[in-house]
Amino acid sequence: MIKFADVALMTHATFGMLCIIASVWVFVDTLNVSQGNLVRIKLMSRAVAGFMWLAFLIGGYWYVTYYYADKALILKGPWPFAHHLVMETKEHLVLMLLLLTTFLPITASGNLVANKSARNVVLWVVGLIILTGILMEGSGAIIGMGVKLAVLPK
Amino acid sequence: MKHNELEKYTISFGLSLAITSLFSALLVILKELCEHSVLVWMGKATGHHWMTHGIIDVVVFVALGWLLGTLNGGRGVSISAEKFIKTVVGAVVISGLIIVGFYTVDMMAG
């Protein structure tokens, strides 16, 4: 039977991935901005923020409720850095990512067709979101591997 | 507003993001180095130090973004787009490096 903790963790990763996909969408649409896709950029920017907040709240709940068990395993296993470096960094970098995604709809609220500076801000912000998001997904994989290696028979 | 000027809240919340990111990175170092005082207090405040950290970050970000927007008689902060982008991107990258650097050193120190 699938445990609630596992569903929460997978949901967290899924919303994180949806956030990255929506961010790539915003990036490409902004590069090709026109009156035709302006509304879509604004909607997708809000989707980026929405997906991120869902990923954050679900992941945060999992982290404060269930992570202690995984942490104990990681620290006894061959990859203790998966907690000491990767999880510690991830849990704090994600706070910046949350603020970046919250900021994105504000940057995208202007007239991106006429205003090149506003366009550049959106591209930089969403670029940072994509890179940090990929870093978060990769970090999650390393943490998962840290647990897996700890429970494998030696 | 001129053709290529940024909107008031883009600037105020962007600068707030830059300041909050750096503040958050420094708070990481502070709470880890003062684990018997700051970390304990942050843990007791909400039940987990990370939750307190997140709430502080969001509150600072929103409050500062709103406050910066009220400066100059409600017109907000005046800054060129190029300088604004450098400030925001620079602050976010430096904050990230501070966090990664701190935990790398902390891990290597054992």
Side-chain angles (χ1 to χ4, degrees):
Chain A
M1 184 170 169
I2 301 172
K3 292 176 188 167
F4 177 75
D6 297 331
V7 174
L9 190 58
M10 289 300 101
T11 310
H12 159 68
T14 302
F15 278 123
M17 189 52 73
L18 286 171
C19 176
I20 294 171
I21 292 168
S23 300
V24 172
W25 188 322
V26 172
F27 191 87
V28 174
D29 252 356
T30 306
L31 283 176
N32 301 286
V33 69
S34 67
Q35 289 296 344
N37 66 4
L38 201 52
V39 173
R40 194 169 63 214
I41 290 172
K42 289 176 185 180
L43 285 174
M44 289 309 287
S45 298
R46 289 174 195 167
V48 169
F51 287 141
M52 182 59 214
W53 271 94
L54 285 169
F56 175 78
L57 291 173
I58 295 166
Y61 174 75
W62 178 87
Y63 173 68
V64 299
T65 311
Y66 300 108
Y67 177 65
Y68 68 93
D70 284 2
K71 177 182 168 182
L73 287 171
I74 292 170
L75 294 180
K76 286 179 187 169
W79 278 20
F81 71 90
H83 170 75
H84 287 310
L85 177 62
V86 182
M87 181 50 120
E88 292 281 23
T89 301
K90 183 180 193 277
E91 75 184 56
H92 292 104
L93 279 185
V94 80
L95 296 173
M96 279 194 310
L97 182 59
L98 183 73
L99 299 185
L100 275 167
T101 55
T102 306
F103 177 54
L104 182 64
I106 300 171
T107 67
S109 64
N111 187 349
L112 303 181
V113 179
N115 192 331
K116 189 184 174 189
S117 299
R119 243 178 4 248
N120 284 339
V121 173
V122 170
L123 288 171
W124 274 103
V125 169
V126 85
L128 283 172
I129 291 170
I130 294 165
L131 290 175
T132 315
I134 291 169
L135 201 63
M136 294 296 100
E137 290 288 342
S139 298
I142 292 171
I143 295 160
M145 187 60 82
V147 177
K148 189 177 173 181
L149 288 174
V151 296
L152 281 175
K154 288 171 186 160
Chain B
M1 187 192 296
K2 288 179 188 169
H3 198 56
N4 269 333
E5 275 185 0
L6 297 173
E7 293 196 356
K8 178 174 88 170
Y9 286 115
T10 296
I11 293 175
S12 67
F13 279 94
L15 293 179
S16 174
L17 169 69
I19 295 166
T20 310
S21 293
L22 289 168
F23 165 77
S24 182
L26 295 176
L27 185 58
V28 168
I29 296 174
L30 180 72
K31 74 176 179 182
E32 295 289 358
L33 293 181
C34 304
E35 59 183 341
H36 299 298
S37 52
V38 179
L39 192 69
V40 169
W41 173 81
M42 288 175 75
K44 282 181 180 170
T46 60
H48 199 290
H49 68 89
W50 178 77
M51 279 168 60
T52 309
H53 198 136
I55 290 168
I56 290 173
D57 279 2
V58 172
V59 169
V60 169
F61 172 69
V62 173
L64 212 55
W66 172 79
L67 193 70
L68 290 170
T70 64
L71 296 179
N72 289 328
R75 293 192 306 277
V77 179
S78 180
I79 184 172
S80 72
E82 191 183 346
K83 198 171 178 182
F84 173 78
I85 291 170
K86 282 180 183 170
T87 303
V88 174
V89 175
V92 169
V93 170
I94 289 169
S95 305
L97 291 175
I98 288 173
I99 293 170
V100 174
F102 174 77
Y103 281 115
T104 304
V105 171
D106 189 54
M107 184 184 67
M108 291 174 92

